[in-house]
């Protein structure tokens, strides 16, 4: 499992288990497994100019049941390691999704 944050050309930050897709030994894209959009909400506190940051994760493509999606290489600007709190939040959410009992 290689959980990364992908910054896309659209400006979206997506947290996912990401694998590079190769064709004839050249990278052509990425496979995103369980992608979640990372949303950052900043609020500024009046005292001492402190900044508070609230982070939320939401399913990247809300109306899809696909858990694996292919993203062309030219749509990914960069990949980065998530900070520990984001990594834990993502793993907890995916573990909860994996443990859901399907309803009929």
């Amino acid at each position: 499992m290689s959980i990364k944050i992908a910054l896309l050309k659209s400006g979206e930050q997506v947290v996912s288990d990401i694998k590079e897709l190769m064709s004839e030994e050249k990278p052509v894209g990425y496979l995103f497994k369980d992608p979640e959009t990372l949303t950052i909400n900043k609020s500024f506190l009046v005292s001492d100019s402190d900044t508070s940051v609230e982070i939320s994760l939401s399913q990247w493509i809300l109306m899809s049941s696909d858990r694996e999606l292919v993203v062309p290489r030219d749509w990914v600007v960069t990949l980065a390691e998530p900070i520990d709190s984001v990594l834990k939040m993502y793993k907890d959410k995916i573990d909860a999704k994996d443990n859901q009992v399907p309803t009929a």
Side-chain angles (χ1 to χ4, degrees):
M1 188 180 265
S2 183
I3 299 170
K4 303 277 187 194
I5 298 174
L7 176 60
L8 304 181
K9 284 192 333 187
S10 62
E12 292 172 291
Q13 294 184 45
V14 178
V15 182
S16 184
D17 181 3
I18 299 175
K19 293 182 175 78
E20 194 171 48
L21 299 175
M22 307 290 283
S23 176
E24 298 178 13
E25 297 186 30
K26 293 181 183 179
V28 294
Y30 298 94
L31 180 66
F32 286 18
K33 182 177 181 199
D34 295 318
E36 295 280 327
T37 301
L38 177 64
T39 304
I40 302 167
N41 299 311
K42 293 181 185 176
S43 59
F44 297 94
L45 305 176
V46 177
S47 63
D48 300 320
S49 298
D50 291 337
T51 303
S52 174
V53 177
E54 181 181 307
I55 298 169
S56 62
L57 294 175
S58 58
Q59 185 176 328
W60 183 35
I61 301 177
L62 291 173
M63 297 301 160
S64 175
S65 62
D66 292 337
R67 292 191 66 179
E68 294 186 340
L69 298 159
V70 175
V71 178
R73 184 173 179 259
D74 66 340
W75 261 85
V76 177
V77 176
T78 193
L79 298 173
E81 294 291 330
I83 60 174
D84 290 341
S85 58
V86 171
L87 183 61
K88 181 180 181 334
M89 182 185 295
Y90 175 79
K91 285 181 176 180
D92 289 348
K93 184 167 186 180
I94 298 308
D95 287 346
K97 190 184 289 188
D98 289 341
N99 292 325
Q100 283 181 343
V101 176
T103 57

